[in-house]
Amino acid sequence: MECHVYYEGDDDPEKCTARRLEKFDKATLYRSMGQVPYGVVLNPHAERALSPADLEAGLGTLVALDCSWESAEEASFQMRGVHRALPFLVAANPINYGRPFRLTTVEALAGACCIFDERERAADLLEPFRWGETFLTLNEEPLRRYSECADSSEVVAVQEEYLADEDAE
């Protein structure tokens, strides 16, 4: 699974997970949107949830946008590819620990790899981060369940169970 990241550079470089992925040769960063290859674009504004059925559509390529949450508007995601939103997952990074949907770039890529049943690739991506294994542990059950779904509608049904549990708490 190839991982590519459009890098806006508006976050603290010391805390940037995309830059660390590039440093450890686990992802390719692009500073021009036109250079980003076609693939499955992880886009929180997408109308469909990511599912195992999307694996073939992305030709083995995952694309993420690395930017500040404040600038992650729909217009920022004008990349070529199949746009999909990640389902409910909880952040393990120190800044947003325990918060649903507030994932770092590496958490988003690793979550997508798990949904595509590429768990070893996910663990490899998370290896340079001391909290990386925690992400997989916190999200073990939902990631397993999402990876067993046939399509986006099944993923959304599983996600709704987790959101109902969140609302109950």
Side-chain angles (χ1 to χ4, degrees):
M1 180 71 49
E2 289 184 25
C3 294
H4 300 271
V5 179
Y6 172 62
Y7 175 70
E8 286 200 344
D10 57 358
D11 277 339
D12 181 347
E14 296 297 313
K15 297 176 183 169
C16 179
T17 64
R19 287 174 55 116
R20 186 174 285 187
L21 287 173
E22 180 182 49
K23 177 182 174 183
F24 286 94
D25 203 27
K26 296 184 185 292
T28 305
L29 264 61
Y30 302 90
R31 285 163 176 80
S32 166
M33 203 172 288
Q35 296 175 320
V36 179
Y38 182 94
V40 174
V41 179
L42 302 177
N43 178 348
H45 304 287
E47 292 183 16
R48 293 185 60 194
L50 182 72
S51 78
D54 297 313
L55 182 59
E56 287 183 31
L59 308 173
T61 300
L62 278 174
V63 178
L65 168 67
D66 186 88
C67 66
S68 164
W69 275 102
E70 285 73 38
S71 63
E73 297 172 8
E74 193 166 353
S76 301
F77 293 88
Q78 299 302 315
M79 291 171 273
R80 296 173 298 128
V82 178
H83 288 245
R84 297 291 184 261
L86 282 169
F88 174 87
L89 294 170
V90 177
N93 68 78
I95 295 168
N96 288 308
Y97 182 86
R99 293 176 69 187
F101 300 107
R102 297 293 285 204
L103 308 180
T104 61
T105 301
V106 70
E107 288 171 313
L109 290 168
C113 285
C114 287
I115 291 169
F116 288 156
D117 205 23
E118 297 270 346
R119 193 157 178 95
E120 286 182 22
R121 178 66 169 131
D124 180 59
L125 289 169
L126 291 163
E127 190 271 326
F129 304 89
R130 67 181 181 279
W131 43 264
E133 195 173 315
T134 303
F135 174 76
L136 294 176
T137 303
L138 277 176
N139 294 290
E140 183 174 5
E141 182 185 347
L143 286 170
R144 178 189 53 76
R145 291 184 65 198
Y146 297 144
S147 73
E148 295 169 351
C149 292
D151 58 27
S152 182
S153 62
E154 287 186 19
V155 168
V156 170
V158 170
Q159 172 183 269
E160 286 173 357
E161 291 177 34
Y162 287 104
L163 292 174
D165 289 346
E166 279 288 301
D167 289 342
E169 290 175 12

